[in-house]
Amino acid sequence: MKKLYYLKLFFCLFFMFACSTQKNTALNKFYHQLNTQYNGLFYAQKNLNDGIKIISQSHTDNYKEILNINKYGDLRGAKSAQAQLDQAIEKSTMAIKKHSMDIDGEEKNKLIDQAYLIIGKSKFYKQDYLPAINTFSYLLRKSNSPEVQSTAALW
């Protein structure tokens, strides 16, 4: 009985002290990265994958005309997956708003870059090319990760 009390007390204190996005402590980073990964990014990535699947399933080749190389460039497919792509953007945006730890101009939550990548990819698949380019350009300027920068440059 006493162990259960201490366990509840530990979790209450953990969540109470780990909620700040303005403190650069290991506990805060762990808390916000954990919530970013499993609350925001998991569902955003799932919605993005569902949208890509819908776009690729709606694509049919017409062999009487010149075939497109990019099967994701179809406006009909982009409109059919718009709901899933909008949800991916919304989930990523919420993860950024709630869990971004921008302290002294440096992002301490490493998963925020992944949220921006999901937003950029979703906008690309929606055929909102200018906002997608702006998102990827922002990542090129702000990200400290060479892997994220090269992915953004590639997209």
Side-chain angles (χ1 to χ4, degrees):
M1 187 72 173
K2 202 167 195 170
K3 286 183 181 181
L4 184 62
Y5 171 76
Y6 287 125
L7 188 63
K8 288 180 183 178
L9 181 66
F10 170 75
F11 280 115
C12 287
L13 290 174
F14 173 76
F15 287 113
M16 195 167 75
F17 290 112
C19 290
S20 175
T21 59
Q22 300 304 315
K23 294 179 183 174
N24 187 16
T25 62
L27 183 64
N28 288 355
K29 286 183 201 177
F30 173 75
Y31 173 78
H32 287 290
Q33 286 180 1
L34 184 73
N35 279 315
T36 303
Q37 177 69 36
Y38 293 109
N39 287 346
L41 290 184
F42 176 79
Y43 292 110
Q45 187 65 50
K46 183 181 180 313
N47 287 328
L48 176 63
N49 291 341
D50 290 346
I52 293 170
K53 186 176 178 182
I54 289 171
I55 290 172
S56 87
Q57 287 176 349
S58 70
H59 176 76
T60 55
D61 286 329
N62 184 358
Y63 296 108
K64 296 179 181 177
E65 296 178 3
I66 297 175
L67 295 177
N68 290 331
I69 294 174
N70 184 7
K71 65 180 177 180
Y72 303 112
D74 185 5
L75 186 61
R76 183 176 48 104
K79 287 189 182 225
S80 66
Q82 185 153 1
Q84 284 76 18
L85 297 174
D86 284 338
Q87 285 179 343
I89 292 171
E90 181 183 334
K91 298 286 185 190
S92 295
T93 303
M94 289 302 293
I96 292 168
K97 284 181 182 178
K98 289 185 178 183
H99 302 294
S100 178
M101 295 181 68
D102 192 1
I103 300 170
D104 296 329
E106 183 180 347
E107 183 60 52
K108 303 297 182 182
N109 187 347
K110 299 173 187 174
L111 297 174
I112 296 299
D113 292 342
Q114 297 300 322
Y116 278 113
L117 278 174
I118 290 173
I119 290 172
K121 289 176 185 179
S122 297
K123 289 180 180 181
F124 174 81
Y125 286 119
K126 281 178 56 175
Q127 295 188 350
D128 291 339
Y129 296 121
L130 197 56
I133 289 171
N134 290 339
T135 304
F136 293 129
S137 297
Y138 175 79
L139 275 173
L140 284 171
R141 286 190 317 269
K142 292 295 252 181
S143 179
N144 294 331
S145 169
E147 180 180 325
V148 171
Q149 287 180 336
S150 63
T151 303
L154 192 66
W155 274 90

